[in-house]
Every structure is written in C-alpha cells, then in structure tokens.
Amino acid sequence: MNLFLGTAFGFPAVLFTPLLLVVAAYWVLVLVGATDSELLDAVDADGAATGLSALMHRARLGAVPVTVALSMLVCVAWFVSMMGGIMTSLLDTTSTPLLLALGAVVLLIALVAAWAVTSGLVMTVARFLPRRGGDSKHELVGRTCVIRIGEAGEDFGQAEITTSGGAALTIPVRTTGGEVLPLGGTALIFDHRAEDDVFLVTHFDAALDPGQN
C-alpha cells in the first residue's frame, strides 16, 4: 500500500492522480443523472465542432464524446505513469536529478501511450457507432424528443433525440411557464436558447403530429 500511494502521489503519476479522481467523480454524476455525458461537446450553428471538440477531432479522438476521450486519456496516462513510477522506485538510487530525469521520461511515455491507446480504442469503437453530427442546433428545433433522466422542468432536463444520421443524441432541455414533463414523455423542441445552450421544449400531443419524427 505504501508503494502504491507513494507512486500515485509521486512524480509523474501525481500529475494524473487528481485528474483520475475528477474523472471518477464525473462519471458517478453521469450515472445518477446529475450531468450529461456530452457535457464538453460543442458545435456551432452549422453543426461543426468548436473549442475542445474541434481539438479532439484534430487529434483523431472526435468519434466519441469529448468526456469519453478525455477519460480514456487520463486513465491510460495514469496507469502507464504508475507502472513506470513503480519500476523507477525499484532502482537502487537516491539521486534526485536522476529520479527526476527518469520521471520525465516516464511522463513522456505515458502521454504518448495515452494518445496511441485512446486513438486506437476510439477508431475501433467508432466502427460500431452511428455517425455523429450532421444536425445543427437550429435544425433540431421543430422536432420531437423523449425526456430522459427524471423530469424536465425550468431548471433541469435531459432528452434524447435521433439525428438525421441515425445517432441517438442527448441534449439539455428546459420548459417554460412552470411546465413539468415526465420521464419517458415526448416533447416538442420549439426553440434553442443560446445564452445557456439549452433547448426549450413543451408537451407534444401525438394527435397533432404533422409528420415530424
């Protein structure tokens, strides 16, 4: 246990240990429905990736949600740095400059391995996933969605919509006028509120369906 803790909070693994804790906490929040698994994905009005999403696409990691790719990167980098740190600790040396130099080499290997492994996993997983994207935020207005993760109200809501490419997309939704939509209910997207990047929805009556999906 002392070796594990010493390595986890020693250089270079200490650079990734806090990030690993953040990743673990984030996915716990996703599981309980307190946040969205596509929290960091961002597109412009034309549906093109922006910000961190664009960076992930340039790094060939954009075929899955940004949070998934980042989680893979952190986990692999932490694991490799831990293994390298343990191997380094077994060397019979107390030279601080040498240990720092070895730590820097382990850090470099961990970063390269994290990108290589994550890139390979993303490309493999992408073969079995529907194509993402293809619908701008404005194009989603006027379509229906299904409320997921509890009720949707003025302060919180998550809904699922199928894009034109056949992918199931989770979007943040909000109601107006105190309306509350139940879990599993069908809602109509009538606007996109740019200031907080959420879709405004209301109850959808299937009897009034004009033929939208």
Side-chain angles (χ1 to χ4, degrees):
M1 181 59 72
N2 289 337
L3 177 60
F4 176 83
L5 293 177
T7 305
F9 292 97
F11 182 74
V14 68
L15 299 177
F16 303 109
T17 298
L19 296 178
L20 184 67
L21 296 176
V22 171
V23 167
Y26 168 76
W27 286 108
V28 169
L29 292 176
V30 171
L31 288 175
V32 301
T35 189
D36 182 11
S37 63
E38 297 188 352
L39 179 67
L40 300 180
D41 290 88
V43 296
D44 59 21
D46 298 317
T50 61
L52 190 54
S53 296
L55 179 62
M56 286 298 182
H57 276 81
R58 285 194 292 270
R60 296 190 297 177
L61 302 175
V64 297
V66 172
T67 52
V68 174
L70 286 177
S71 298
M72 290 182 182
L73 286 169
V74 170
C75 289
V76 175
W78 180 83
F79 178 79
V80 174
S81 63
M82 282 289 292
M83 294 301 99
I86 290 174
M87 293 178 64
T88 300
S89 67
L90 297 178
L91 296 178
D92 187 18
T93 179
T94 57
S95 172
T96 300
L98 177 58
L99 291 174
L100 288 176
L102 291 174
V105 172
V106 170
L107 175 61
L108 179 60
I109 294 174
L111 292 174
V112 173
W115 176 84
V117 173
T118 302
S119 178
L121 289 174
V122 166
M123 288 188 291
T124 300
V125 171
R127 297 177 182 177
F128 302 97
L129 294 177
R131 293 182 61 86
R132 303 174 71 227
D135 293 283
S136 74
K137 293 180 179 180
H138 295 295
E139 289 174 338
L140 297 181
V141 174
R143 299 178 60 181
T144 59
C145 58
V146 178
I147 304 301
R148 303 297 188 197
I149 313 178
E151 297 177 331
E154 294 185 343
D155 300 319
F156 176 80
Q158 294 289 326
E160 183 178 282
I161 186 171
T162 302
T163 68
S164 59
L169 180 67
T170 300
I171 58 175
V173 296
R174 301 291 186 270
T175 63
T176 59
E179 184 178 16
V180 176
L181 302 178
L183 172 66
T186 301
L188 175 67
I189 303 172
F190 66 87
D191 196 9
H192 175 255
R193 196 164 63 194
E195 56 266 28
D196 50 359
D197 194 20
V198 299
F199 292 90
L200 300 181
V201 297
T202 187
H203 171 71
F204 176 76
D205 188 347
L208 302 177
D209 187 355
Q212 299 157 327
N213 57 357

